[in-house]
Amino acid sequence: MPSDKAQPAIVLVRPQMGENIGAAARAMWNFGLDRMRIVAPRDGWPNSRAVAMSSGAGRLLDEAQLYDDLPGALGDCTYVFATTARPREMTKPVYSPERAMQLAAEKLAAGEKVAVLFGPERAGLENDDIARANAIITVPVNPDYASLNLGQCVLLVAYEWMRQTGDVVHLSDAPGPKGEWATGLEIEKLAEHYEQRLDEAGFFFPPEKAEGMQQNLRNLWSRMRLTRADVQMLHGIMRQMVRWKERG
């Protein structure tokens, strides 16, 4: 059975290839979505190629709802997004996948039922399909090659859904391996250590370029985002190199 968690319905409108339906199911499953609706698939339903491509998401396909037309698939929905890469002469709000899924989460939390439409592989949604949507989702892509595979498009939207509703830890917020990033003072002492030893070794040459070389070295430390363990290791490397030189 589908999960009880509120989520948008993913509606595939007249999909042409079973493999792409399976890829869409796999993308949904990756990011916590399990409510697929299929409208008038070209090759009928069920489709063995969809199951083969779903890679473990076959249960999602087993529970997918089949409709003869789009109005039937949207009968219980209160807000509908339509995905398209082509500009349309329609007075509808246009959102990025990120903003669209933020809005979807807000509407679902308020008790609404949300759907996202994806068109057939060859040409995407028709204007009549989009006319039934409240808003458009457009992905910023290369204008010279704006066509996205059905599975890829579902993946982008599903990923943004997970970002809005899941416990995603962004890299900039992640702790270090031991939860201890190096402090500014520790980085400063590391830089001073290396500058001192490299100066003694005659690295900063010629003299007129020394200041710029030191700045480049400081920039290197700041770009690396070091942990305290990293700093200790780098100090140790330099100390060992100096001892090795002195022994020689």
Side-chain angles (χ1 to χ4, degrees), residues 32-235:
L33 296 170
D34 59 15
R35 296 176 190 173
M36 176 184 283
R37 301 182 181 186
I38 305 173
V39 178
R42 184 190 66 183
D43 297 335
W45 194 256
N47 187 304
S48 60
R49 292 182 178 180
V51 175
M53 189 64 185
S54 67
S55 187
R59 185 168 67 84
L60 188 154
L61 294 175
D62 291 339
E63 296 168 351
Q65 295 177 295
L66 183 65
Y67 296 87
D68 293 330
D69 54 33
L70 185 56
L74 301 179
D76 63 342
C77 298
T78 60
Y79 200 90
V80 178
F81 294 96
T83 60
T84 177
R86 295 184 288 121
R88 309 282 183 147
E89 299 298 323
M90 295 188 182
T91 55
K92 295 180 184 293
V94 179
Y95 298 109
S96 67
E98 178 182 18
R99 180 65 186 111
M101 291 302 97
Q102 289 174 349
L103 186 58
E106 294 169 5
K107 290 186 175 298
L108 286 161
E112 295 196 45
K113 291 189 175 182
V114 177
V116 185
L117 308 183
F118 297 84
E121 297 88 324
R122 184 180 61 83
L125 293 168
E126 296 178 359
N127 285 343
D128 284 345
D129 303 321
I130 296 175
R132 292 183 167 86
N134 302 99
I136 290 172
I137 298 175
T138 295
V139 179
V141 293
N142 178 2
D144 295 327
Y145 191 68
S147 176
L148 284 175
N149 174 273
L150 175 60
Q152 293 173 326
C153 194
V154 172
L155 180 71
L156 286 170
V157 172
Y159 168 71
E160 292 297 344
W161 169 255
M162 178 61 82
R163 284 189 65 215
Q164 303 310 316
T165 60
D167 296 326
V168 177
V169 178
H170 298 280
L171 180 60
S172 60
D173 300 325
K178 295 182 180 179
E180 298 177 348
W181 292 118
T183 66
L185 178 60
E186 289 165 337
I187 298 296
E188 181 69 20
K189 293 299 182 183
L190 178 66
E192 290 176 355
H193 184 190
Y194 270 70
E195 287 173 12
Q196 177 187 349
R197 294 304 187 182
L198 289 171
D199 188 40
E200 292 171 357
F203 177 77
F204 299 114
F205 183 85
E208 62 271 20
K209 293 187 178 180
E211 183 177 355
M213 295 171 73
Q214 289 172 347
Q215 287 180 349
N216 287 340
L217 189 59
R218 297 262 174 157
N219 284 331
L220 173 65
W221 302 130
S222 65
R223 288 198 305 270
M224 291 172 70
R225 190 74 199 279
L226 301 170
T227 66
R228 287 182 169 177
D230 295 332
V231 169
Q232 292 170 3
M233 182 185 68
L234 289 166
H235 276 301

